Amino acid sequence: QVQLVESGGGLVQAGGSLRLSCEASGRTFRSYTMGWFRQAPGKEREFVATNLWGDVNTYYADSVKGRFTISRGNAKNTVYLQMNSLKPEDTAVYYCAADPRVLGTVAAGLPDQYDYWGQGTQVTVSS
Protein backbone atom coordinates (compact mmCIF):
# COMPACT_ATOMS: atom_id res chain seq x y z
CA GLN A 1 0.00 0.00 0.00
CA VAL A 2 1.39 3.35 -1.02
CA GLN A 3 1.80 5.94 1.70
CA LEU A 4 3.02 9.51 1.43
CA VAL A 5 3.89 11.41 4.59
CA GLU A 6 4.73 15.11 4.49
CA SER A 7 6.66 17.03 7.12
CA GLY A 8 8.44 20.35 7.54
CA GLY A 9 5.56 22.79 7.53
CA GLY A 10 5.24 25.57 10.07
CA LEU A 11 5.01 29.29 10.71
CA VAL A 12 7.59 31.58 9.13
CA GLN A 13 7.93 35.29 8.52
CA ALA A 14 7.77 36.71 5.03
CA GLY A 15 11.14 36.36 3.34
CA GLY A 16 11.98 33.24 5.30
CA SER A 17 12.51 29.67 4.17
CA LEU A 18 11.09 26.23 4.83
CA ARG A 19 11.94 22.80 3.52
CA LEU A 20 9.12 20.32 3.09
CA SER A 21 9.77 16.59 2.89
CA CYS A 22 7.60 13.78 1.57
CA GLU A 23 8.53 10.22 2.46
CA ALA A 24 6.99 7.61 0.17
CA SER A 25 6.63 3.93 1.01
CA GLY A 26 4.99 0.83 -0.36
CA ARG A 27 6.46 0.91 -3.85
CA THR A 28 9.63 1.67 -5.73
CA PHE A 29 9.17 5.31 -6.63
CA ARG A 30 12.17 5.82 -8.86
CA SER A 31 10.02 6.10 -12.01
CA TYR A 32 7.04 7.80 -10.40
CA THR A 33 5.98 11.33 -11.13
CA MET A 34 6.14 13.20 -7.84
CA GLY A 35 4.59 16.58 -7.27
CA TRP A 36 3.66 19.23 -4.76
CA PHE A 37 0.31 20.98 -4.67
CA ARG A 38 -1.19 23.46 -2.22
CA GLN A 39 -4.61 24.54 -1.13
CA ALA A 40 -5.45 27.77 0.61
CA PRO A 41 -8.75 28.24 2.50
CA GLY A 42 -11.64 28.74 0.11
CA LYS A 43 -9.50 28.01 -2.95
CA GLU A 44 -8.99 25.03 -5.21
CA ARG A 45 -5.93 22.84 -4.94
CA GLU A 46 -3.25 24.25 -7.19
CA PHE A 47 -0.07 22.96 -8.74
CA VAL A 48 3.24 24.04 -7.22
CA ALA A 49 6.02 21.85 -8.66
CA THR A 50 6.62 18.46 -10.18
CA ASN A 51 9.53 16.13 -10.78
CA LEU A 52 8.85 13.88 -13.76
CA TRP A 53 11.87 11.62 -13.81
CA GLY A 54 14.60 11.83 -11.25
CA ASP A 55 15.89 15.38 -11.06
CA VAL A 56 16.10 16.04 -14.77
CA ASN A 57 12.60 17.16 -15.61
CA THR A 58 11.18 19.62 -13.13
CA TYR A 59 8.42 22.16 -13.63
CA TYR A 60 7.08 24.95 -11.47
CA ALA A 61 4.05 27.16 -11.21
CA ASP A 62 4.86 30.70 -12.33
CA SER A 63 4.02 31.98 -8.85
CA VAL A 64 6.87 30.01 -7.25
CA LYS A 65 9.43 29.88 -10.07
CA GLY A 66 12.81 31.09 -8.88
CA ARG A 67 11.85 30.74 -5.20
CA PHE A 68 10.97 27.04 -4.79
CA THR A 69 13.03 23.99 -5.73
CA ILE A 70 11.78 20.41 -5.97
CA SER A 71 14.28 17.58 -5.61
CA ARG A 72 14.50 13.91 -4.74
CA GLY A 73 16.57 12.03 -2.24
CA ASN A 74 19.18 9.53 -3.34
CA ALA A 75 16.82 6.57 -2.94
CA LYS A 76 14.18 8.44 -4.98
CA ASN A 77 11.48 7.63 -2.44
CA THR A 78 11.74 11.06 -0.81
CA VAL A 79 10.83 14.32 -2.47
CA TYR A 80 11.67 17.74 -1.08
CA LEU A 81 10.35 21.22 -1.65
CA GLN A 82 12.79 23.95 -0.68
CA MET A 83 10.85 27.18 -0.31
CA ASN A 84 12.75 30.45 -0.15
CA SER A 85 11.65 34.09 -0.11
CA LEU A 86 8.27 33.05 1.22
CA LYS A 87 5.33 35.38 0.85
CA PRO A 88 2.04 35.58 2.77
CA GLU A 89 0.25 34.36 -0.36
CA ASP A 90 2.20 31.09 -0.08
CA THR A 91 0.16 30.26 3.02
CA ALA A 92 -1.67 26.98 2.38
CA VAL A 93 -1.77 23.31 3.16
CA TYR A 94 0.90 21.68 1.02
CA TYR A 95 0.32 18.19 -0.34
CA CYS A 96 2.69 15.66 -1.81
CA ALA A 97 1.37 13.59 -4.71
CA ALA A 98 2.64 10.60 -6.65
CA ASP A 99 1.63 8.69 -9.75
CA PRO A 100 3.22 5.57 -11.27
CA ARG A 101 3.12 7.04 -14.78
CA VAL A 102 5.55 9.47 -16.33
CA LEU A 103 3.06 12.27 -16.77
CA GLY A 104 3.39 14.85 -19.48
CA THR A 105 4.05 18.45 -18.62
CA VAL A 106 0.37 19.42 -18.82
CA ALA A 107 -0.97 16.37 -16.99
CA ALA A 108 1.62 16.73 -14.24
CA GLY A 109 -0.01 20.01 -13.24
CA LEU A 110 -3.47 18.52 -12.77
CA PRO A 111 -4.41 17.14 -9.33
CA ASP A 112 -6.77 14.51 -10.78
CA GLN A 113 -3.86 12.84 -12.61
CA TYR A 114 -2.25 11.66 -9.38
CA ASP A 115 -3.22 8.40 -7.72
CA TYR A 116 -1.61 8.93 -4.33
CA TRP A 117 -1.70 11.82 -1.87
CA GLY A 118 -0.26 12.67 1.49
CA GLN A 119 -2.24 14.13 4.37
CA GLY A 120 -0.83 17.62 3.91
CA THR A 121 1.32 19.95 5.99
CA GLN A 122 0.39 23.50 6.92
CA VAL A 123 2.60 26.37 5.84
CA THR A 124 1.79 29.79 7.26
CA VAL A 125 3.72 32.89 6.21
CA SER A 126 3.21 35.99 8.32
CA SER A 127 3.65 39.50 6.96
Side-chain angles (χ1 to χ4, degrees):
Q1 183 174 352
V2 173
Q3 280 194 316
L4 304 176
V5 180
E6 302 100 334
S7 61
L11 174 64
V12 64
Q13 288 188 331
S17 298
L18 283 174
R19 189 192 196 205
L20 305 184
S21 299
C22 173
E23 187 76 27
S25 61
R27 291 283 191 279
T28 300
F29 289 87
R30 187 174 300 273
S31 62
Y32 274 48
T33 298
M34 305 287 289
W36 287 96
F37 290 77
R38 67 187 182 186
Q39 189 166 17
K43 295 187 177 181
E44 293 187 352
R45 192 167 297 189
E46 65 173 4
F47 167 72
V48 175
T50 188
N51 176 253
L52 298 182
W53 182 268
D55 289 323
V56 177
N57 296 309
T58 58
Y59 298 92
Y60 300 92
D62 288 343
S63 58
V64 306
K65 203 172 293 182
R67 301 187 297 121
F68 291 11
T69 303
I70 187 171
S71 63
R72 295 214 193 178
N74 290 334
K76 305 301 182 185
N77 63 342
T78 304
V79 62
Y80 304 101
L81 185 69
Q82 178 66 44
M83 306 186 295
N84 298 328
S85 302
L86 283 161
K87 304 175 181 180
E89 51 263 44
D90 294 318
T91 295
V93 178
Y94 284 70
Y95 296 92
C96 174
D99 193 87
R101 300 167 295 169
V102 179
L103 298 176
T105 53
V106 173
L110 303 175
D112 61 6
Q113 295 296 307
Y114 290 81
D115 279 353
Y116 305 107
W117 290 87
Q119 82 288 351
T121 185
Q122 176 70 46
V123 171
T124 302
V125 184
S126 63
S127 57

